[in-house]
Amino acid sequence: MNSHIDISEEAGVRYLHFGSSWVQGAMRIARPFALELDYTREMMVPLLLHGDDWPRKVLQIGLGAASVTKFLYRHRPQAKLTVIEIEPRVAAAARQFFKLPEDEQRIDIRYGDGADFVIASKQRYDLILVDGFDADARTGRLDSVPFYLDCRARLADDGLLCVNLLSRRKDFGKSVKRLEEAFAGRAIAFPSCDSGNAIALGAVGGSPAPTLDELKAAAKRLKQESGLNLLPTLTRLAQSRHLAGGTLQL
């Protein structure tokens, strides 16, 4: 990535940019471990599908402002976080401007191409998070059937893949179809956030199929524990085909 890394601030929020006005990450300065952007909050929906002791092994592709990394670091203390970032300057900015903790025991940052890492890895992960874009909002190999298949092979039996997609892109529907193909139909894309981001999930065979009531109960527990409110997300999800019959169709 050859773009400039820029930092801006407005109304108590610090933003990360890659040489453009497009926001690559954000942090409310007074609440550095909270999730400021809607789509980063929705990337935590997988936490509603498991107990508080999940996940233990997380692979994150694309660091950005480290918002998701910091949230999991604080609220899932059992989790070991492996982060693949293609640009070392992004990690340096996350440490300097976005309060990324220095804890090599729990946060293992590696530099390189996320798709290459998944191919070479022998590890299995409970949760794989993918949020990788360049300055022009391009994902490259991170939105392809081979990449999604490689991710599926690296997931534990009850593992989940969570991907940030741009729903305003013309090929958004194709992205969802690629994910569904790789996960044999066990994939969903949430209704889009106001920002134009849509979060998609892919599940392997052992993943649960919770009811809406169970999801709401888990969301209330997560809100009490962390301050993160995913109840509005569930309301939107309940209006989609993915909760037909009151059970999450994943």
Side-chain angles (χ1 to χ4, degrees):
M1 185 179 73
N2 297 319
S3 303
H4 294 292
I5 294 177
D6 301 316
I7 309 296
S8 67
E9 290 185 15
E10 182 178 351
V13 179
R14 184 172 294 159
Y15 298 96
L16 175 70
H17 312 267
F18 294 161
S20 72
S21 60
W22 191 52
V23 172
Q24 298 278 355
M27 176 188 76
R28 186 162 296 277
I29 296 170
R31 299 177 62 208
F33 283 84
L35 295 168
E36 181 65 21
L37 300 179
D38 285 345
Y39 87 87
T40 60
R41 298 181 193 125
E42 297 202 339
M43 288 191 81
M44 294 297 95
V45 163
L47 300 183
L48 304 183
L49 307 182
H50 292 276
D52 293 346
D53 60 345
W54 185 96
R56 292 187 173 275
K57 294 181 181 178
V58 179
L59 174 63
Q60 180 183 343
I61 297 176
L63 175 65
S67 301
V68 168
T69 314
K70 292 185 299 181
F71 184 88
L72 289 171
Y73 178 82
R74 171 159 289 188
H75 298 291
R76 290 295 182 267
Q78 77 283 351
K80 173 69 182 296
L81 310 169
T82 300
V83 183
I84 312 302
E85 172 53 54
I86 200 167
E87 175 52 68
R89 293 178 299 154
V90 172
R95 290 191 178 100
Q96 182 176 355
F97 298 104
F98 295 95
K99 299 187 182 299
L100 174 63
E102 293 273 8
D103 185 347
E104 294 181 358
Q105 295 300 313
R106 289 192 53 213
I107 303 176
D108 179 14
I109 298 181
R110 307 186 190 186
Y111 303 109
D113 184 282
D116 288 339
F117 179 87
V118 173
I119 291 171
S121 177
K122 304 302 181 183
Q123 183 64 263
R124 299 185 81 192
Y125 299 93
D126 302 310
L127 176 61
I128 299 178
L129 301 163
V130 181
D131 184 17
F133 297 93
D134 66 13
D136 298 313
R138 294 174 300 194
T139 57
R141 295 160 65 199
L142 299 183
D143 181 20
S144 67
V145 172
F147 172 70
Y148 293 142
L149 284 168
D150 291 334
C151 287
R152 183 181 179 187
R154 298 272 59 82
L155 285 170
D157 291 341
D158 61 350
L160 292 168
L161 172 68
C162 182
V163 185
N164 174 30
L165 301 172
L166 293 181
S167 61
R168 60 177 177 268
R169 288 175 51 167
K170 293 180 180 178
D171 61 349
F172 168 70
K174 295 179 181 178
S175 297
V176 176
K177 288 181 179 178
R178 286 190 282 268
L179 192 62
E180 290 175 338
E181 178 180 344
F183 280 83
R186 296 204 64 184
I188 64 172
F190 295 0
S192 176
C193 305
D194 292 340
S195 62
N197 299 79
I199 302 307
L201 298 180
V204 291
S207 298
T211 66
L212 178 57
D213 287 342
E214 289 171 337
L215 289 170
K216 286 181 177 179
K220 290 175 181 177
R221 288 194 301 271
L222 185 62
K223 182 181 179 182
Q224 184 176 18
E225 157 202 322
S226 69
L228 174 60
N229 184 11
L230 290 176
L231 290 169
T233 300
L234 293 182
T235 298
R236 288 177 25 240
L237 193 58
Q239 297 169 352
S240 73
R241 61 183 174 85
H242 302 306
L243 268 167
T247 301
L248 184 63
Q249 306 299 311
L250 178 62

